[in-house]
């Protein structure tokens, strides 16, 4: 597990004229859980712990911080909302330099016991979402713009915002992640033509994310053996059009050197809107 760079399969969308989609709930009879075809591409993934210089949220789009948490049980939604959301907001402000932060959701993921092929993170029988192996970015240009009014429901307050961004804060909730780490793509290596908007269908609304088609120019990284006291913060949208990172595609991957008895990954991700003044 000491290799600074590994080669592993990453799940890219195959180019198609059809709009991809996925369901977060049981789809109507006769409708598949997801639409779109994917291809597993071997890609070099560097261990960012071995990088010559630390990454930067505004350059590569991601950064790792030592951020111990006071949360005792991440499966307790009430504790996560009361304690972890405040911790995430404080961390997001430290990393971005923003003025205000609003955590608006969180999701616990658990790797399937049978280590099934990674897919889009469909919920297993225990109700927990699986690790998501599809390369994606949580927001598109359109859904990133919409999210501001969903978080700041006062139209006057929303209209006064000049710049904001959305970050994802990801951490292990168990121990070191050895089997399915999270790979993040250097935002500077992603071109607009690589991103394809896709529907995420919820029971009461339809969201929109980006999926990614393959490019040999993509530069992938991960942080080996991420532990519970660490948090990976990465950019998912920025309303500023130039000079900063805007999208950081990411996906879980099967680490080729994971021990056969490696614990199943358990993680939490929280999304946070940060307002700059």
């Amino acid at each position: 597990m000491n290799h600074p760079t590994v080669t592993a399969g990453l799940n890219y969308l195959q180019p198609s004229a059809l709009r991809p989609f996925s369901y977060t709930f049981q789809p109507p009879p006769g409708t598949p859980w997801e639409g779109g075809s994917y291809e597993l591409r071997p890609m070099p993934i560097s261990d960012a712990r071995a990088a010559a210089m630390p990454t930067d949220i505004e350059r590569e789009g991601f950064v790792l911080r030592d951020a111990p948490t006071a949360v005792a049980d991440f499966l307790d939604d009430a504790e996560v909302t009361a304690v972890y959301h405040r911790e995430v907001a404080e961390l997001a402000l430290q990393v971005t330099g923003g003025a205000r932060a609003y955590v608006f959701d969180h999701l616990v993921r658990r790797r399937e016991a049978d280590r099934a092929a990674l897919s889009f993170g469909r919920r297993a029988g225990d109700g927990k979402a699986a690790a998501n192996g599809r390369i994606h970015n949580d927001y598109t240009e359109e859904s990133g713009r919409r999210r501001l009014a969903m978080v700041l429901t006062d139209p006057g307050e929303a209209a006064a915002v000049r710049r904001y961004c959305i970050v994802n804060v990801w951490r292990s909730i168990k121990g070191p992640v050895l089997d399915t780490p999270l790979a993040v793509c250097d935002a500077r290596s992603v071109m607009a033509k690589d991103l394809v908007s896709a529907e995420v269908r919820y029971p009461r609304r339809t969201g929109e994310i980006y999926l990614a088609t393959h490019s040999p120019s993509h530069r992938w990284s991960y942080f080996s053996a991420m532990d519970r006291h660490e948090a990976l913060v990465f950019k998912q949208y920025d309303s500023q059009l130039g000079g900063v990172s805007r999208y950081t595609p990411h996906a879980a991957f099967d680490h080729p050197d994971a021990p056969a008895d490696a614990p199943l990954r358990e993680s939490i991700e929280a999304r946070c809107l940060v307002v700059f003044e």
Side-chain angles (χ1 to χ4, degrees):
M1 301 291 291
N2 294 321
H3 303 149
T5 298
V6 298
T7 297
L10 289 174
N11 243 315
Y12 280 96
L13 178 72
Q14 289 185 321
S16 168
L18 302 177
R19 183 172 167 82
F21 65 86
S22 61
Y23 277 87
T24 63
F25 61 102
Q26 181 70 47
T31 303
W33 278 89
E34 62 177 337
S37 298
Y38 298 84
E39 53 184 346
L40 202 61
R41 291 276 194 147
M43 296 292 288
I45 308 174
S46 300
D47 185 352
R49 293 188 193 275
M53 59 185 297
T55 59
D56 187 283
I57 190 77
E58 302 294 17
R59 190 175 59 233
E60 291 88 350
F62 59 90
V63 64
L64 181 72
R65 288 292 177 92
D66 187 63
T69 175
V71 175
D73 182 4
F74 277 104
L75 301 183
D76 182 341
D77 265 351
E79 183 181 13
V80 169
T81 301
V83 178
Y84 193 56
H85 282 202
R86 174 179 50 78
E87 294 177 344
V88 167
E90 291 173 355
L91 178 60
L93 292 179
Q94 291 171 12
V95 168
T96 63
R100 289 172 285 148
Y102 306 86
V103 179
F104 52 87
D105 68 13
H106 68 266
L107 180 66
V108 170
R109 295 187 183 275
R110 178 181 289 159
R111 183 71 166 114
E112 302 95 318
D114 62 358
R115 301 188 193 276
L118 290 166
S119 67
F120 66 98
R122 176 178 163 183
R123 291 182 184 276
D126 62 1
K128 291 288 179 291
N132 190 343
R134 303 281 193 244
I135 299 170
H136 67 286
N137 189 85
D138 297 349
Y139 290 91
T140 65
E141 189 69 58
E142 180 59 30
S143 61
R145 290 179 180 177
R146 283 200 305 264
R147 178 53 67 172
L148 178 65
M150 295 171 72
V151 175
L152 301 182
T153 54
D154 179 337
E157 185 181 6
V161 173
R162 286 182 52 80
R163 179 195 170 199
Y164 68 98
C165 72
I166 302 170
V167 297
N168 190 328
V169 178
W170 189 95
R171 79 165 66 220
S172 165
I173 62 172
K174 197 171 183 181
V177 175
L178 303 179
D179 59 345
T180 47
L182 190 71
V184 285
C185 192
D186 188 328
R188 299 168 299 179
S189 70
V190 181
M191 300 294 108
K193 66 181 180 59
D194 304 334
L195 301 173
V196 178
S197 65
E199 292 182 359
V200 180
R201 297 173 181 172
Y202 301 95
R204 293 183 177 81
R205 69 181 183 89
T206 297
E208 188 178 78
I209 63 173
Y210 278 137
L211 299 172
T213 56
H214 176 261
S215 166
S217 298
H218 290 165
R219 294 191 297 271
W220 289 95
S221 297
Y222 79 112
F223 291 88
S224 58
M226 265 190 69
D227 209 341
R228 198 175 188 275
H229 63 89
E230 298 175 305
L232 176 61
V233 185
F234 52 101
K235 190 84 72 71
Q236 291 299 274
Y237 176 80
D238 199 310
S239 65
Q240 183 170 312
L241 297 181
V244 297
S245 64
R246 301 193 71 218
Y247 306 113
T248 312
H250 54 283
F253 70 99
D254 286 314
H255 197 295
D257 299 331
D261 59 350
L264 298 170
R265 182 248 269 192
E266 294 185 31
S267 60
I268 187 169
E269 58 208 51
R271 284 178 288 215
C272 181
L273 186 144
V274 178
V275 173
F276 299 86
E277 294 290 0

